[in-house]
């Protein structure tokens, strides 16, 4: 196995799945990458660590973003994986909007940026996973 920056991206995806699922995803990665006729939010709910309370809608949206990023990170084709810079930007955009709303700040530009980032992420996952 050749070590590249895409190995770090893959590792990020595995760790994200471990946090969401509550344990190493193991063989379930291949089933997550297989096309299914379920909404991605339903897939997320099915693998979410059952020891945790049901997430609020805001937290669920954050989890969905991380879940989509993790899916993109573990793509079988390493060339299709996003860069860590792209992941950082997506998470920063989501963090800005989350904290802006949480702190009752006007977050018009971050909202627009987060929505655009979310659309890019959705398109990336749809095209590559």
């Amino acid at each position: 196995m050749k070590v590249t920056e895409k190995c770090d991206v893959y590792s990020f995806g595995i760790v994200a799945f471990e946090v969401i699922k509550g344990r190493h995803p193991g063989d379930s990665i291949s089933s997550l990458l297989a096309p299914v006729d379920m909404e991605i939010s339903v897939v997320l709910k099915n693998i979410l660590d059952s020891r945790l309370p049901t997430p609020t809608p805001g937290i669920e949206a954050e989890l969905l973003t991380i879940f989509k990023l993790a899916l993109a990170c573990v793509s079988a084709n390493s060339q299709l994986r996003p860069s860590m810079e792209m992941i950082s930007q997506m998470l920063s955009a989501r963090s800005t909007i989350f904290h802006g709303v949480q702190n009752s700040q006007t977050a018009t530009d971050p909202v627009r940026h987060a929505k655009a980032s979310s659309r890019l992420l959705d398109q990336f996952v749809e095209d590559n996973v």
Side-chain angles (χ1 to χ4, degrees):
M1 176 180 177
K2 184 179 177 185
V3 177
T4 67
E5 68 179 35
K6 297 297 181 164
C7 293
D8 289 341
V9 171
Y10 185 86
S11 296
F12 173 83
I14 295 297
V15 170
F17 281 133
E18 287 178 348
V19 171
I20 290 169
K21 192 170 181 162
R23 63 182 184 277
H24 191 279
D27 294 336
S28 65
I29 289 178
S30 57
S31 64
L32 289 172
L33 295 174
V36 290
D37 292 332
M38 279 193 280
E39 287 266 336
I40 196 163
S41 60
V42 174
V43 174
L44 172 63
K45 286 179 184 177
N46 288 340
I47 70 159
L48 195 58
D49 188 343
S50 61
R51 297 171 294 179
L52 299 174
T54 303
T56 62
I59 298 299
E60 186 175 337
E62 296 294 316
L63 281 170
L64 194 55
T65 296
I66 294 167
F67 182 70
K68 289 177 185 178
L69 283 172
L71 279 175
C73 290
V74 298
S75 174
N77 183 342
S78 64
Q79 298 300 326
L80 297 178
R81 295 176 194 154
S83 66
M84 282 307 295
E85 181 179 9
M86 181 180 175
I87 292 167
S88 175
Q89 289 171 351
M90 295 285 186
L91 293 174
S92 292
R94 294 294 301 186
S95 177
T96 301
I97 180 64
F98 183 72
H99 291 299
V101 170
Q102 188 178 35
N103 296 331
S104 300
Q105 299 170 352
T106 53
T108 54
D109 289 339
V111 168
R112 192 174 310 119
H113 181 66
K115 286 181 180 178
S117 295
S118 183
R119 283 191 299 274
L120 285 172
L121 175 59
D122 289 343
Q123 188 63 49
F124 182 87
V125 169
E126 187 175 308
D127 291 346
N128 297 298
V129 175

